[in-house]
């Protein structure tokens, strides 16, 4: 369903392009040897290069280059064997060089594609315009002192990838799906940890609106540095609604940089938007053009992991999962690995998927834990499925056993033995319970014999209850039928 805003003058559609700054996973910075660990004391990870002392020269970090190439390949993008670092000139107190080293005319990665998995189960492609490398600036701290601002240069020089999409998204849901997919790919590749709350993935949202049916693009605004998927979706929703209101009142939208306000969920104007020429880009004379060999790129390509889209297709093929289940299981690599561990040894894969998605996710959500921290190991969940498959326990009892496994991390067979939860498949024992229940409900037995067969289900429930859920439900059903209906 396309996202439209209904206005007084007609329907509006929303055009979104995203620029994501993703921090490259690397022990050291893009042009210096300083560390990059999150949460260090201010100004403890700053070299003379990061502080822009006179005469200091940048030295490129080969690992960061490899990470950017790997990301480009993961986005099915064109890798440019020659790229150029340029200076983006501007003044700010947390940018001691007076310029950011970035890439402009010749980025390291060209056009690529991301496939969105939309909430209704459909997929859609969004084109990537480019990926370029650049260094991060320092951080201004305005909230530490009433009259002074402080500067922390720990981030100064940290390697970033700026991943720019084309204006291919059509509303907040698309943008949410894009960010989730991008984050998933980056985490599979281990090129960025995707932790938006730690600032290692930050998003600028370019938003414009136009009447449904219009073909050209109207003026866009850019909302800077939004740091969660939910906030990005909110920012787009409110900014698009604001623009529609402006147009409907006969006004004009100006190319402005805006800021997202977490408290209100709205965007507010920061400054009029700069144009590229304002930054006076020019090739950095301290750095030669970056030239990659084909062999360097091919070696990285040969080493790529199976990525979420390929894994999803394989899960559908190999395990017969629905697109939805497969999609949910592949978002995070540890979840996909967990599922495959549960499903191995020829176990029922759909049942395995159900238990992971419903029972395991439910328990983990409640405990605020990730799959990697699961108290129930994949091996133990697999053995629980085995106990159901060989009729040692019923599905009902399996849920109880699972609860205990969540609490204790224990082995399912041991729990079943200890608590005496084995399924009762002894005909005599089940018949005895059936006889009691029938004697206590003679009127209902007559009702069934007179044609109200639906009541059989009620009897099954009573017998299961009387056996603490341990009776074999199939046998209960058969025996009841035989006894009541003959
Ligand atoms: Mn940038």
């Amino acid at each position: 369903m396309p996202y439209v805003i209904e206005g007084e003058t007609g329907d509006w559609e929303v055009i979104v392009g995203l620029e994501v700054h993703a921090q490259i996973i690397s022990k050291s910075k893009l042009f210096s040897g300083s560390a990059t660990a999150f949460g260090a004391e201010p100004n403890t990870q700053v070299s003379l290069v990061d502080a822009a002392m006179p005469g200091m020269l940048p030295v490129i970090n080969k690992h960061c280059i490899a990470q950017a190439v790997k990301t480009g390949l993961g986005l099915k993008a064109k890798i440019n064997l020659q790229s150029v670092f340029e200076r983006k000139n501007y003044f700010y107190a947390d940018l001691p060089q007076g310029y950011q080293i970035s890439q402009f005319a010749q980025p390291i990665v060209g056009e690529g594609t991301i496939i969105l998995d939309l909430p209704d189960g459909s997929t859609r492609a969004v084109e990537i315009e480019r990926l370029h490398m650049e260094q991060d600036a320092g951080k201004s701290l305005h909230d530490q002192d009433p009259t002074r601002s402080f500067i922390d240069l720990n981030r100064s020089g940290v390697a970033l990838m700026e991943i720019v999409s084309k204006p291919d998204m059509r509303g907040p849901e698309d943008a949410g799906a894009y960010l989730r997919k991008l984050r998933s790919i980056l985490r599979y590749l281990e090129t960025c940890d995707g932790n938006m709350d730690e600032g290692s993935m930050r998003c600028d949202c370019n938003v414009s609106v136009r009447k449904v049916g219009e073909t050209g693009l109207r003026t866009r605004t850019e909302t800077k540095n939004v740091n969660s998927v939910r906030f990005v979706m909110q920012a787009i929703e409110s900014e698009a609604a604001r623009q529609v209101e402006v147009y409907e009142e006969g006004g004009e939208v100006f190319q402005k940089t805006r800021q997202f306000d977490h408290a209100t969920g709205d965007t507010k104007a920061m400054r009029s938007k700069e144009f590229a020429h304002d930054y006076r880009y020019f090739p950095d004379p301290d750095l030669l053009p970056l030239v990659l060999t084909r062999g360097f790129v091919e070696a990285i390509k040969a080493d790529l992991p199976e990525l979420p889209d390929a894994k999803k297709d394989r899960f559908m093929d190999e395990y017969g999962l629905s697109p939805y289940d497969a999609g949910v299981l592949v978002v995070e690599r540890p979840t996909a690995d967990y599922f495959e561990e549960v499903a191995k040894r020829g176990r029922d894969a759909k049942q395995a998927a159900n238990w992971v998605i419903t029972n395991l996710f439910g328990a983990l959500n409640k405990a605020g834990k990730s799959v990697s921290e699961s108290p129930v190991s994949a091996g133990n969940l697999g053995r629980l499925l085995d106990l159901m498959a060989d009729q040692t326990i019923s599905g009902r009892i399996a849920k109880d056993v699972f609860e205990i496994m969540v609490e204790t991390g224990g082995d399912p067979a041991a729990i079943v033995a200890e608590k005496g939860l084995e399924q009762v498949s002894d005909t005599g024992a089940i018949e005895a319970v059936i006889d009691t229940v029938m004697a206590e409900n003679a009127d209902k037995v007559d009702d069934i014999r007179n044609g109200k067969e639906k009541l059989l289900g009620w009897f099954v429930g009573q017998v299961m209850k009387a056996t603490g859920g341990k009776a074999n439900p199939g046998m209960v059903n058969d025996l009841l039928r035989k006894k009541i209906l003959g």
Side-chain angles (χ1 to χ4, degrees):
M1 271 260 285
Y3 182 86
V4 282
I5 299 177
E6 287 172 27
E8 301 279 313
T9 61
D11 288 349
W12 298 81
E13 68 176 338
V14 181
I15 315 293
V16 180
L18 298 178
E19 294 170 24
V20 172
H21 285 91
Q23 182 177 333
I24 292 176
I25 294 177
S26 164
K27 289 202 177 77
S28 53
K29 296 182 180 178
L30 183 53
F31 298 113
S32 84
S34 340
T36 59
F38 177 77
E41 282 289 299
N43 297 311
T44 55
Q45 301 180 155
V46 187
S47 72
L48 297 173
V49 174
D50 310 321
M53 290 296 147
M56 292 296 118
L57 291 172
V59 177
I60 193 127
N61 179 338
K62 189 173 172 185
H63 173 69
C64 293
I65 305 292
Q67 291 284 66
V69 169
K70 194 175 180 189
T71 305
L73 293 169
L75 298 174
K76 300 185 177 69
K78 179 170 172 276
I79 307 299
N80 294 323
L81 294 180
Q82 173 160 325
S83 62
V84 173
F85 285 101
E86 302 200 33
R87 292 185 178 181
K88 179 180 182 178
N89 298 281
Y90 67 94
F91 170 78
Y92 204 73
D94 59 23
L95 185 76
Q97 286 174 151
Y99 58 85
Q100 176 191 33
I101 305 178
S102 182
Q103 296 188 309
F104 184 59
Q106 297 185 63
I108 188 166
V109 175
E111 293 180 316
T113 312
I114 286 188
I115 306 293
L116 308 191
D117 299 291
L118 296 168
D120 66 1
S122 64
T123 57
R124 203 150 79 66
V126 168
E127 300 298 311
I128 303 289
E129 169 105 27
R130 59 188 273 154
L131 175 158
H132 64 255
M133 302 182 75
E134 61 187 26
Q135 49 175 194
D136 206 350
K139 196 171 159 193
S140 303
L141 307 168
H142 300 300
D143 53 0
Q144 312 276 310
D145 185 279
T147 56
R148 293 176 299 170
S149 284
F150 296 112
I151 305 291
D152 175 8
L153 292 179
N154 281 353
R155 293 194 70 96
S156 171
V158 162
L160 304 176
M161 299 177 280
E162 182 171 334
I163 301 161
V164 182
S165 84
K166 295 194 177 169
D168 284 356
M169 288 161 269
R170 290 293 174 273
E173 278 79 24
D174 284 3
Y178 175 88
L179 286 177
R180 283 191 295 269
K181 189 54 162 289
L182 176 60
R183 185 169 57 188
S184 172
I185 293 171
L186 295 172
R187 285 179 173 165
Y188 267 73
L189 293 167
E190 296 175 320
T191 56
C192 168
D193 66 27
N195 294 334
M196 293 186 84
D197 52 351
E198 292 180 358
S200 47
M201 210 172 120
R202 316 193 288 268
C203 185
D204 301 342
C205 314
N206 291 299
V207 176
S208 66
V209 298
R210 68 182 174 199
K211 282 280 179 62
V212 171
E214 255 175 51
T215 47
L217 294 174
R218 298 196 186 195
T219 305
R220 65 185 162 89
T221 62
E222 180 177 13
T223 304
K224 284 282 198 193
N225 278 330
V226 191
N227 66 353
S228 85
V229 175
R230 190 166 57 87
F231 288 154
V232 165
M233 293 173 71
Q234 271 180 24
I236 292 167
E237 190 175 341
S238 67
E239 175 57 15
R242 187 191 69 82
Q243 291 183 17
V244 166
E245 209 175 301
V246 168
Y247 285 127
E248 297 233 315
E249 283 168 0
E252 211 183 315
V253 169
F254 296 98
Q255 181 163 345
K256 278 233 162 95
T257 297
R258 304 183 69 85
Q259 195 172 31
F260 180 66
D261 183 337
H262 299 227
T264 61
D266 292 332
T267 68
K268 57 176 192 254
M270 267 167 77
R271 55 175 195 256
S272 56
K273 168 84 179 143
E274 307 76 8
F275 293 88
H277 61 250
D278 296 328
Y279 289 113
R280 304 168 58 81
Y281 280 97
F282 62 86
D284 192 312
D286 291 339
L287 291 157
L288 291 166
L290 177 64
V291 178
L292 309 176
T293 62
R294 241 168 241 293
F296 179 78
V297 176
E298 287 308 317
I300 295 170
K301 195 173 200 169
D303 212 29
L304 284 180
E306 182 183 39
L307 289 170
D309 290 333
K311 208 183 270 292
K312 180 181 171 188
D313 287 345
R314 182 168 65 78
F315 279 14
M316 290 162 60
D317 274 5
E318 194 175 322
Y319 299 110
L321 301 186
S322 68
Y324 176 84
D325 285 356
V328 169
L329 290 171
V330 304
V331 172
E332 302 280 353
R333 194 149 115 186
T335 309
D337 292 346
Y338 186 105
F339 160 75
E340 291 210 273
E341 183 71 27
V342 177
K344 72 183 193 187
R345 293 177 212 285
R347 294 186 183 115
D348 181 337
K350 283 184 199 171
Q351 190 188 25
N354 266 331
W355 272 82
V356 172
I357 292 170
T358 311
N359 306 71
L360 182 74
F361 283 6
L364 293 176
N365 270 342
K366 222 154 113 194
K369 287 185 170 157
S370 71
V371 168
S372 320
E373 306 161 323
S374 171
V376 179
S377 70
N380 277 344
L381 181 52
R383 283 186 280 280
L384 181 68
L385 301 192
D386 292 341
L387 292 174
M388 280 186 275
D390 68 14
Q391 309 254 325
T392 305
I393 56 172
S394 65
R396 199 359 229 90
I397 292 292
K399 286 189 181 136
D400 296 343
V401 175
F402 182 75
E403 299 250 311
I404 300 170
M405 291 165 72
V406 169
E407 268 163 45
T408 65
D411 173 79
I415 294 168
V416 168
E418 191 200 331
K419 309 255 173 195
L421 295 170
E422 288 92 349
Q423 181 157 261
V424 177
S425 296
D426 167 359
T427 313
I430 295 175
E431 278 184 329
V433 179
I434 288 179
D435 289 341
T436 314
V437 174
M438 281 174 66
E440 283 166 0
N441 299 284
D443 51 334
K444 291 202 172 72
V445 173
D446 288 340
D447 286 348
I448 295 177
R449 288 182 175 142
N450 290 327
K452 283 180 80 175
E453 272 203 41
K454 273 191 201 153
L455 270 176
L456 262 177
W458 181 84
F459 271 97
V460 174
Q462 293 302 304
V463 174
M464 291 304 293
K465 201 164 142 191
T467 59
K470 291 194 288 182
N472 178 325
M475 288 181 66
V476 171
N477 216 329
D478 291 347
L479 290 169
L480 266 170
R481 240 169 220 289
K482 228 181 275 169
K483 277 188 176 279
I484 297 180
L485 294 169

